[in-house]
Amino acid sequence: MFTMATLARRVEGRTPFLAFLAQELAPREGRGLAVARIAAACTITVAIAMVFRIPLAAYMAYMVFLTSKDDSAATMKMAVAGGLAITFAIIFSLGLAQISLGDPAIRLPAMALMTFLAMFSVRTFALGPISFLAGFIVVTMQSVVDEVPNPEVFTRTTLWLWVVVVVPALTMALISLLFGPLAAAVAERGVRKVLTDLEAALTHGEIAGRLAQWRTILVAIIEKSRNPPAIQRLLDALVILEAYPDPIPPRERTRLSYLVRGCLGALERRSPAAEAPPETESLPEALAATHAFAELQRELSRTPAHQPAHTGHKPRQLFVPDALSNPAHWQFALKTTLAIMIVYSVYTMLDWPGLLTSIVTVFFVALGSVGETVHKLVLRLSGAIIGGLLAGLSIVFVLPHFTDIGQLCALTAVVALFAGWVTTSSERLSYAGMQIALAFFMGLLQTYSPATDLTVLRDRVAGILLGNVVMTLVFSGLWPESAITRLRGALADALRGIAALLRSPQNAETSRQHTVEALARADNFEALSQFEIEMLPRQTHLPDLHSIERLAGAAFVASSEPLARDVDAQAVSSLGDWLARAAHATAEDSALPSVAEAATTAKSGTAAQVAVSKLSIEIEHVASSLQ
C-alpha cells in the first residue's frame, strides 16, 4: 500500500528541492475532489463568459481560484465577501468618476488614498479582506481611465465587473455546497493525517524535523473542529515529543506507535487491536506522552452526542489591539501605496498600458516582511513563467485546431486541474498555482475568439516582472520589516507562554495553547527569513527556535498531569520567572539574563525531580543558543 512514508523513502537521496516538491505535490485525502471542484467551476465560468460574451473572461476564471477554500462554509464566506466588496467598489467607483474622470489632480490622490486605506485595513481591520478587494477594484478602475474612450464605456465596464466577480463566486459556492466537505470533516481529515503520518514516522524513525509541520496543520484547523479539546491534546503530545532524545530509542518508538494506533482506532470508531501494550517507561517524557495520548484517545472516543459544546474561542475584535499604536501598520500601507504609484507612473510614461498587471502584482504580493515578499515573488515569477509558457504553447500549437467553445472549455479544465493541484499545496507552494492559473488565463482568454497574438502574453509577464522588482526595492529599502523581527516576537510569545505555564498551573490549558500557537508562528517566520539572505542587517540576541521547542517540550512534561503534583512548585516557579525575563529581553533585542546556579544534573530520583532537572538543562541551552 502506497503511503507518505513510502514516498519519503523514495525521494530520499534526491535534492532538497525535488524532495520538497514531492512532499508538496503528493496525493492526500480530499485533494483530488478539491481540484475537481476548482476545474469544474473554471470550466462552467469560461463557458458562461464565452456564450454571453462577458468581458474580462480571464479574471472570471481566476476568481474561481480566489474564492475556492477547503470547506463549503469558508467558500461561502469568501463568495459573500467578494460580492460585498465588488458592490461597494462599483458604487464608489461610479461616484468617484463623477468628479475625477479625466482629472489627474483628483484621480491620482484618490488612487493613493484608496490604496493606503485598503492596505492599512488588511493589517488592522477584521473585515480587511472586503475593504482590500474593494480598494483593489477601485484603484484598478481608476488606473484604466486613460484607456477608455468616453465616460459611457467606463460606466459599462465598471458595471460588468459585478458580473465578472459574482458569477464565478456564485458558481464556486454552489459547487462547494453540493460537493464540498464540511469544516468539521476537513478538521477530522487533518487529525487523521497527522496521526497516520506520526505512526509511520515513529515506525521508521523519521520523526525528526516533522513535529513543527504537524503542529502547523493542527493550529490551522482547530477552529473548524467539533472537538477542539482533541486537537489540543494532540498538540500537547506533539510538543511533549520534543523532549525526547533524537533519535528516540526503538523500544520507546514502538510503545508510542501503539498509543498512536489506539488514537487512530478511536477516531475511526474501531475496536482496539488485540495486541499487548508495551511496558510503560518510567522516564518523565514517557509518562507525560502516555497521559497525553490517553487523554487524546478518550476525547476521540466520545460520540458526537456526548461531546460537550465547545464555544470557548475568543471572539474576534473589530480592530487589532495595536491598530493605531503600531507604526508598522501605516508604514506597510504607505510602502504599498508608493509601489502602486511608481508602477502606474512607469507604464503611463512609457505609454505601455499592457503593464497593468504590475498593479495587480503589487496588491497581491504585498506582505508584512521582506522575507514574505521575496518568498511570494519567487512563487509568483515561477508560476507566471509556467502559466505563460502553457498559454504560449496553447496559442501556437493547440488553439489553431479548435472550432468550438467545448474544446476551449476542455483545455481550460486540463490546465485548471494542474494549477489547482499546485494551489492545494501548503502555503510554501500554493501561491505558485494561483499564478499559473492567472498567467494562463490572461494569455489564453483575450477575446471571444481563439487567441492568436502573443503580445498580450508578453505584456502580462512584463507587468508581473515590473511589479515584483518595484515591490522588492521599496520593501527592502524603506522601513524594512524583517521576518526575523517577527520571528523574535513569536519566540518572545512562546517564552511568555512557557513562563505562564510554569508560574500559573491553574491556567495551564490557556498557556499551552498560547505556547503552541507562538511556536507555529515562529516556525513560519524562520522559514520565511531564509529568503532574506543578506538583504537586511543581521539580528543579534536571537534564541534558537529548536532550543525553545525542546524547552517547551520539557515544560509540558514537567507540568503534565502525572508529574505536576510532585514537582517542586517553588523551583518551577523560579524557572518561570527567569523565562518571563528572557521573553522581555528577547522582545527588546537584548541579552538574556544570566541563569542562576541550580542542581541540573540529577540522574536519578522521582520522575518529577528528573523532569525539573531536564527543564533546567533546557533553559541553560536556550540561554547559550544566542545567534
Side-chain angles (χ1 to χ4, degrees):
M1 180 178 177
F2 186 82
T3 64
M4 289 296 295
T6 305
L7 175 64
R9 289 194 299 274
R10 286 186 180 181
V11 301
E12 187 178 3
R14 297 183 185 179
T15 65
F17 177 70
L18 290 179
F20 164 74
L21 288 181
Q23 179 181 354
E24 290 290 328
L25 300 178
R28 66 171 184 270
E29 183 183 1
R31 187 172 196 171
L33 291 177
V35 174
R37 290 194 298 272
I38 292 174
C42 276
T43 304
I44 294 172
T45 298
V46 170
I48 293 174
M50 293 297 138
V51 169
F52 295 99
R53 302 179 70 83
I54 301 174
L56 303 176
Y59 288 101
M60 289 184 68
Y62 184 60
M63 275 299 301
V64 171
F65 281 80
L66 289 178
T67 309
S68 177
K69 299 298 177 184
D70 290 338
D71 59 87
S72 55
T75 302
M76 281 298 300
K77 289 179 183 178
M78 191 63 191
V80 171
L84 291 174
I86 188 62
T87 301
F88 172 79
I90 288 175
I91 295 173
F92 191 86
S93 294
L94 293 177
L96 190 62
Q98 303 303 312
I99 58 174
S100 69
L101 193 62
D103 188 353
I106 299 177
R107 179 160 48 86
L108 295 182
M111 286 176 58
L113 179 61
M114 285 302 302
T115 302
F116 182 88
L117 293 177
M119 303 313 293
F120 184 78
S121 71
V122 169
R123 296 277 295 251
T124 61
F125 191 35
L127 300 179
I130 295 179
S131 55
F132 166 79
L133 288 174
F136 164 69
I137 293 168
V138 171
V139 171
T140 302
M141 290 307 301
Q142 292 299 308
S143 67
V144 301
V145 164
D146 296 330
E147 307 305 318
V148 296
N150 54 62
E152 181 182 352
V153 174
F154 177 84
T155 301
R156 187 183 304 115
T157 303
T158 303
L159 292 176
W160 268 117
L161 279 177
W162 194 87
V163 179
V164 168
V165 172
V166 171
V167 167
L170 182 60
T171 301
M172 189 68 238
L174 289 175
I175 290 177
S176 183
L177 282 176
L178 292 173
F179 306 105
L182 298 176
V186 173
E188 183 175 317
R189 182 189 303 157
V191 172
R192 183 184 296 107
K193 171 180 170 56
V194 170
L195 287 173
T196 303
D197 290 352
L198 176 58
E199 182 193 1
L202 287 168
T203 301
H204 298 96
E206 299 167 349
I207 194 173
R210 303 187 63 186
L211 294 171
Q213 175 189 342
W214 293 326
R215 289 196 297 268
T216 300
I217 293 174
L218 295 174
V219 167
I221 63 175
I222 191 169
E223 290 189 356
K224 298 179 180 181
S225 176
R226 284 194 295 252
N227 190 7
I231 297 182
Q232 290 167 354
R233 298 293 80 74
L234 181 52
L235 284 167
D236 291 348
L238 293 176
V239 175
I240 289 171
L241 290 178
E242 296 280 5
Y244 276 90
D246 184 19
I248 300 176
R251 181 180 177 185
E252 182 61 12
R253 285 195 287 108
T254 301
R255 196 181 67 82
L256 290 171
S257 297
Y258 172 84
L259 296 173
V260 174
R261 282 196 297 274
C263 295
L264 274 171
L267 179 65
E268 298 170 0
R269 304 292 186 266
R270 290 188 283 105
S271 57
E275 60 177 305
E279 246 180 76
T280 302
E281 295 281 350
S282 59
L283 294 175
E285 56 267 25
L287 295 173
T290 300
H291 179 265
F293 282 115
E295 288 292 311
L296 172 59
Q297 185 171 349
R298 187 176 299 113
E299 287 289 346
L300 294 175
S301 298
R302 295 177 185 267
T303 60
H306 293 92
Q307 288 178 2
H310 299 288
T311 58
H313 296 300
K314 294 182 294 184
R316 295 184 179 180
Q317 298 177 337
L318 192 59
F319 293 94
V320 297
D322 62 349
L324 299 179
S325 61
N326 189 349
H329 299 320
W330 66 260
Q331 290 171 357
F332 167 75
L334 187 59
K335 287 185 289 187
T336 308
T337 302
L338 180 60
I340 287 286
M341 302 313 295
I342 289 175
V343 297
Y344 175 76
S345 301
V346 168
Y347 78 70
T348 300
M349 289 187 293
L350 293 177
D351 193 21
W352 193 350
L355 295 181
L356 177 63
T357 48
S358 59
I359 288 183
V360 180
T361 297
V362 172
F363 259 99
F364 285 96
V365 172
L367 287 166
S369 69
V370 175
E372 290 172 294
T373 301
V374 175
H375 175 230
K376 219 167 190 180
L377 179 152
V378 173
L379 295 179
R380 186 174 180 90
L381 291 182
S382 303
I385 291 172
I386 295 173
L389 182 61
L390 289 174
L393 293 175
S394 299
I395 291 172
V396 174
F397 298 107
V398 180
L399 290 188
H401 303 286
F402 281 5
T403 58
D404 56 46
I405 293 176
Q407 294 170 326
L408 177 64
C409 290
L411 176 62
T412 300
V414 171
V415 177
L417 284 170
F418 169 64
W421 193 271
V422 180
T423 302
T424 51
S425 305
S426 72
E427 290 186 1
R428 296 182 298 173
L429 185 64
S430 61
Y431 195 71
M434 303 282 287
Q435 297 318 301
I436 292 173
L438 179 61
F440 176 78
F441 293 141
M442 294 289 285
L444 189 76
L445 305 176
Q446 300 174 14
T447 62
Y448 308 114
S449 58
T452 58
D453 188 2
L454 293 176
T455 303
V456 174
L457 182 60
R458 177 205 65 189
D459 292 349
R460 305 305 187 197
V461 175
I464 291 171
L465 292 172
L466 172 63
N468 276 302
V469 168
V470 171
M471 279 295 299
T472 304
L473 292 176
V474 170
F475 270 66
S476 60
L478 186 63
W479 298 306
E481 186 178 357
S482 172
I484 298 181
T485 301
R486 301 180 75 176
L487 168 62
R488 179 185 302 283
L491 293 177
D493 284 343
L495 290 171
R496 291 190 193 99
I498 300 171
L501 176 64
L502 298 179
R503 295 197 295 180
S504 304
Q506 64 275 15
N507 298 321
E509 188 75 24
T510 302
S511 299
R512 286 170 182 258
Q513 183 176 350
H514 180 87
T515 302
V516 169
E517 292 173 350
L519 290 176
R521 294 199 308 272
D523 183 69
N524 177 51
F525 290 131
E526 184 182 57
L528 291 172
S529 69
Q530 304 304 314
F531 288 88
E532 295 178 349
I533 316 175
E534 298 297 331
M535 298 177 66
L536 297 172
R538 184 174 177 82
Q539 299 279 329
T540 58
H541 303 125
L542 186 66
D544 176 58
L545 172 58
H546 180 62
S547 297
I548 292 183
E549 288 173 337
R550 289 192 57 82
L551 170 61
F556 277 38
V557 169
S559 61
S560 64
E561 186 64 30
L563 305 173
R565 66 174 69 93
D566 297 325
V567 299
D568 184 342
Q570 184 176 356
V572 169
S573 180
S574 66
L575 294 176
D577 292 338
W578 183 90
L579 287 169
R581 296 194 301 272
H584 179 76
T586 299
E588 298 295 326
D589 191 16
S590 58
L592 297 184
S594 59
V595 181
E597 292 291 334
T600 61
T601 58
K603 300 294 184 181
S604 59
T606 66
Q609 291 172 334
V610 175
V612 175
S613 176
K614 290 185 175 182
L615 177 60
S616 300
I617 293 173
E618 295 301 336
I619 285 178
E620 290 183 350
H621 289 166
V622 169
S624 61
S625 70
L626 295 184
Q627 300 174 357

